[in-house]
């Protein structure tokens, strides 16, 4: 199994939350409606949206709904692989 050195991390909301993030560049008030898991991924998503001043008050928080987290590995110029995996984080 290959071992890679992690040189940095970035966190961005995906899907509809990413659309809301893009809309926030043009509009003062943007909100999202949906379901967010009561887990580490959900907490991180809510914080990312709060940092962008995106309203999440219409979102339902559920312990039964795992937040999907995607991990993307971006190789440096000497590597020739990439990976995107979905993981549901549970407490």
């Amino acid at each position: 199994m290959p071992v890679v050195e992690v040189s940095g991390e970035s966190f961005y909301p995906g899907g509809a939350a990413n659309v809301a993030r893009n809309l926030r560049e043009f509009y003062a008030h943007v909100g999202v409606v949906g379901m967010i898991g009561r887990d580490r991924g959900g907490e991180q998503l809510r914080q990312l949206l709060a940092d962008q001043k995106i309203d999440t008050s219409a979102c339902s928080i559920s312990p039964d709904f795992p937040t999907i987290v995607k991990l993307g590995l971006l190789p440096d110029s000497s590597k020739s692989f990439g990976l995107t995996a979905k993981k549901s984080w549970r407490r």
Side-chain angles (χ1 to χ4, degrees), residues 39-41 66-71 84-90:
D39 53 20
R40 184 172 29 159
T67 303
I68 294 175
V69 177
K70 288 189 177 182
L71 168 67
T84 299
K86 293 193 299 188
K87 167 112 176 120
S88 296
W89 296 99
R90 292 277 187 189

Side-chain angles (χ1 to χ4, degrees), residues 14-90:
N18 186 46
V19 173
R21 184 174 158 260
N22 292 332
L23 285 171
R24 184 63 181 88
E25 297 292 321
F26 301 102
Y27 297 98
H29 182 78
V30 174
V32 292
V33 177
M35 178 130 5
I36 299 175
R38 188 181 307 271
D39 53 20
R40 184 172 29 159
E43 290 170 13
Q44 189 170 48
L45 176 59
R46 287 190 303 277
Q47 186 60 53
L48 286 168
L49 294 174
D51 291 348
Q52 295 287 318
K53 297 184 178 19
I54 296 171
D55 182 10
T56 60
S57 63
C59 290
S60 297
I61 311 300
S62 173
D64 300 320
F65 182 84
T67 303
I68 294 175
V69 177
K70 288 189 177 182
L71 168 67
L73 301 177
L74 302 176
D76 66 22
S77 60
S78 66
K79 304 289 189 271
S80 61
F81 68 92
L83 168 72
T84 299
K86 293 193 299 188
K87 167 112 176 120
S88 296
W89 296 99
R90 292 277 187 189

Side-chain angles (χ1 to χ4, degrees), residues 4-12 71-76:
V4 296
E5 179 181 346
V6 176
S7 60
E9 289 182 314
S10 299
F11 299 94
Y12 298 98
L71 168 67
L73 301 177
L74 302 176
D76 66 22

